[in-house]
Amino acid sequence: SSFTPEHVDFKRQHNEAFASLALHCHNNGDGGYSGGKFPNVFYLDGPDAATTTALVKRGFPLASCFVANRHASTVEILRGILPSENVAHATAAEALTPGAQGGFAELEFAAYYFDGCGGFAPHVVGMMRAALLRPGVRRTLSVAVGFSLTGGRSMVERELVICRALSEIAGIMGMRTRHVMDDPARYEMPRDILKT
C-alpha cells in the first residue's frame, strides 16, 4: 500500500465507525432493512477490501455488504470476496440510480460510506443525492451517511459544502442531521477517533 501508517490508521478508525453506525441506525430505526440482525450497507471499497474486512470483523454477513467501484481490476478482487451480485462495476451514483443494470436502486440501506479519498465535493454530493433521493426509499428513523475527505487547504470548505447538501437532502426526506464526530460517545464511538 502507498498509504502512510497514519492514513491507514485513519481509514481503520473510519471503517470501524461505519460498522458501528450502521448497527446503531439499524437498532434504533425500524429494524426492517434486511429482516435480520445485520442491515444492508452500501459503500465504496478498494482493492484492499478494508471496509469489507472491517464489516466482516463486526459480524456483518457478506450478503449484507454492497459495494461499487468503477475499476474493473478492483471489481474482480471484490467479487472474489463478496457475492458477485453485491459488487457493481459502476460509480456509486450509477449503482444507486433506478434502471441501472446490476445496480442497487431497489434495496434499502441502513448506512452509506462514500470514501472517495480525494473527496471532490460535487461527486460526494451526487452520491448522496443518488442514494437518499431515490424513488421508493423509505423514510426511516436513522440512516448513517459517511464520507472521507483528504488533503488540501479547501478541506473545511468541502466539508461545509457536503454537510449543507446533506442537510438539504435530509430536509427533503423529512429528516434531520446529526454530526457524529461532535458527540462520538453518544454513538458508542471512541472519543479519540480522528476527524482529519
Side-chain angles (χ1 to χ4, degrees), residues 21 24 141-143 145 166 170 176-183 186-187:
L21 288 172
H24 175 85
L141 297 175
S142 300
V143 176
V145 178
L166 182 56
R176 62 189 168 98
T177 60
R178 290 189 182 146
H179 199 290
V180 172
M181 298 302 231
D182 290 341
D183 188 8
R186 177 181 187 160
Y187 302 95

Side-chain angles (χ1 to χ4, degrees), residues 91-136:
T91 66
E94 291 166 345
L96 295 166
T97 298
Q101 186 175 1
F104 312 124
E106 72 287 351
L107 298 175
E108 293 287 341
F109 297 100
Y112 302 87
Y113 184 25
F114 303 120
D115 180 16
C117 286
F120 182 57
H123 287 174
V124 175
V125 171
M127 290 185 270
M128 291 187 316
R129 286 187 178 285
L132 299 169
L133 296 178
R134 294 177 284 146

Side-chain angles (χ1 to χ4, degrees), residues 39-80:
N40 288 336
V41 293
F42 177 87
Y43 53 97
L44 303 178
D45 212 351
D48 63 354
T51 304
T52 300
T53 301
L55 290 164
V56 170
K57 282 183 181 178
R58 289 296 300 270
F60 276 78
L62 296 176
S64 293
C65 300
F66 294 83
V67 65
N69 193 292
R70 59 189 180 93
H71 301 288
S73 59
T74 300
V75 167
E76 187 176 327
I77 291 167
L78 294 170
R79 285 183 175 160

